[in-house]
Amino acid sequence: MTEETPGFEEKPDVPSGATPDDAEPKAASEEGAAPAGDANQTAGLVAQLDQVRTALNERTLDLQRLQAEYQNYRRRVERDRVAVREIAIANLLTELLPVLDDIGRAREHGELVGGFKSVAESLETVAAKMGLQQFGKEGEPFDPTIHEALMHSYAPDVTETTCVAILQPGYRIGERTIRPARVAVAEPQPGAQTVKAEGADEGTAADDKDNGGPEEG
């Protein structure tokens, strides 16, 4: 059994040639290194977070751009679909216009009777449902964008070029004219406006004299 020497304390091993005080700076340096490592790790996480946010923003912009392109594509497809449908309907109704003209002439001559009348009215109803509209009336001003003048004359009772007879009605689908109205037009009689204006002036002068207006002399 070993006897302990009173007053003797164990001391940490110290390398040869080193004093006990040399171990204290080493421990202090290790304690100071830990906070520096945490700061570097935090900076790295912040950088990674910024990269993730940047990538997320880029993907969000890409998604918004794709969505806008898809909406534009849908609008183009719908617009083209409507245009193709309108063209197909216009072509079909254009082919039916001679039949509608025959029905109109038969109605004018009182020949639209019996089963023929029912078939004709059904055809006109279907054409109207498909958007076909008839236009052209006597007495309306002549419009070269929707009227086609086949006959021309002068008339003293018109003040502008006027449709005096509808030779063949016009047809449109919406705002699109598929056949102009073929009409006979009348223009004001040459010199009629001048004579009318002179007559008005003479009437005014006579009224002035009757009312005690100024007289020459």
Side-chain angles (χ1 to χ4, degrees), residues 9 43 65 118:
E9 295 180 359
R65 184 162 47 251
S118 299

Side-chain angles (χ1 to χ4, degrees), residues 64-83:
Q64 292 174 348
R65 184 162 47 251
L66 289 174
Q67 186 176 9
E69 292 177 355
Y70 177 68
Q71 293 296 333
N72 292 334
Y73 167 76
R74 288 188 59 186
R75 282 193 289 266
R76 286 196 304 270
V77 170
E78 181 65 18
R79 185 169 58 249
D80 294 343
R81 186 185 68 81
V82 171

Side-chain angles (χ1 to χ4, degrees), residues 10-39:
E10 294 184 357
K11 295 182 180 180
D13 295 336
V14 179
S16 64
T19 63
D21 295 337
D22 293 338
E24 295 180 359
K26 181 177 180 181
S29 62
E30 291 177 354
E31 293 177 355
D38 292 342

Side-chain angles (χ1 to χ4, degrees), residues 89-106:
I89 292 176
N91 292 337
L92 173 62
L93 294 177
T94 300
E95 296 296 327
L96 290 178
L97 293 186
V99 179
L100 296 176
D101 291 336
D102 292 338
I103 293 174
R105 283 190 290 268

